[in-house]
């Protein structure tokens, strides 16, 4: 089996829905050996708003997904006919596999971010704040 990673352009904000649909279709058709992974590179971000911590998911590449697949005509047809999928990324919209270095960089970034949790604070330099709790 010659599985490679491909980038697919999708509607921004629809990544989770597309991933769920593709996973369900792969399981229904029993082709997990041809489509091994559907990945949305993202990280968990903790945001401070009104003194409360809110956790949300931030996507690294909005509007794009990575799919590890053995690309046959049937698999290409399944991916392209998934709702909210626009096209493959590549010259003339032809599927072009990512190089192993690119995949390692993206997957490495995802693994590295899983270990750390970043906090976004909606304050600016020289803005007056009032500390109401904590040291």
């Amino acid at each position: 089996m010659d599985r490679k990673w491909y980038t697919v352009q999708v509607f921004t904000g629809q990544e989770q829905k597309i991933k769920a649909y593709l996973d369900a279709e792969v399981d229904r058709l029993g082709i997990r050996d041809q489509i091994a992974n559907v990945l949305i590179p993202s990280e968990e971000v903790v945001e401070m708003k009104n003194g409360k911590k809110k956790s949300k998911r931030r996507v690294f590449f909005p509007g794009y997904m990575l799919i590890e697949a053995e690309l046959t005509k049937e698999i290409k047809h399944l991916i392209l006919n998934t709702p909210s999928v626009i096209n493959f990324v590549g010259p003339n919209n032809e599927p072009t596999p990512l190089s192993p270095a690119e995949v390692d960089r993206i997957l490495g970034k995802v693994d590295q971010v899983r270990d750390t949790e970043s906090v976004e604070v909606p304050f600016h330099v020289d803005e007056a704040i009032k500390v109401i709790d904590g040291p």
Side-chain angles (χ1 to χ4, degrees):
M1 286 182 219
D2 190 25
R3 286 190 294 229
K4 294 183 179 165
W5 285 94
Y6 297 91
T7 306
V8 179
Q9 186 178 13
V10 299
F11 289 157
T12 304
Q14 301 291 312
E15 295 94 346
Q16 289 294 338
K17 190 163 55 169
I18 296 167
K19 180 182 180 350
Y21 179 88
L22 271 175
D23 284 338
E25 282 297 298
V26 165
D27 291 338
R28 186 180 70 80
L29 296 171
I31 53 174
R32 183 60 64 189
D33 57 327
Q34 292 178 313
I35 296 182
N37 260 326
V38 179
L39 180 69
I40 304 166
S42 59
E43 68 177 333
E44 197 71 30
V45 177
V46 177
E47 212 175 53
M48 294 292 289
K49 272 198 176 165
N50 299 329
K52 296 179 183 173
K53 286 185 181 181
K54 285 190 178 183
S55 183
K56 70 176 188 177
R57 211 142 185 75
R58 183 171 69 195
V59 178
F60 288 135
F61 311 113
Y64 294 94
M65 295 177 68
L66 300 176
I67 298 177
E68 183 183 18
E70 181 183 334
L71 208 62
T72 61
K73 282 184 180 181
E74 294 80 19
I75 299 300
K76 184 177 174 183
H77 179 76
L78 172 70
I79 293 170
L80 288 176
N81 287 314
T82 299
S84 301
V85 168
I86 298 171
N87 219 328
F88 281 95
V89 174
N92 300 325
N93 294 327
E94 282 302 310
T96 305
L98 295 172
S99 71
E102 289 173 312
V103 173
D104 290 343
R105 186 176 56 82
I106 293 169
L107 295 179
K109 187 175 185 181
V110 171
D111 291 340
Q112 174 189 5
V113 170
R114 274 194 198 135
D115 299 338
T116 62
E117 189 177 271
S118 62
V119 177
E120 283 188 6
V121 182
F123 304 118
H124 305 288
V125 176
D126 295 331
E127 184 178 344
I129 61 168
K130 182 179 176 184
V131 178
I132 57 170
D133 189 24

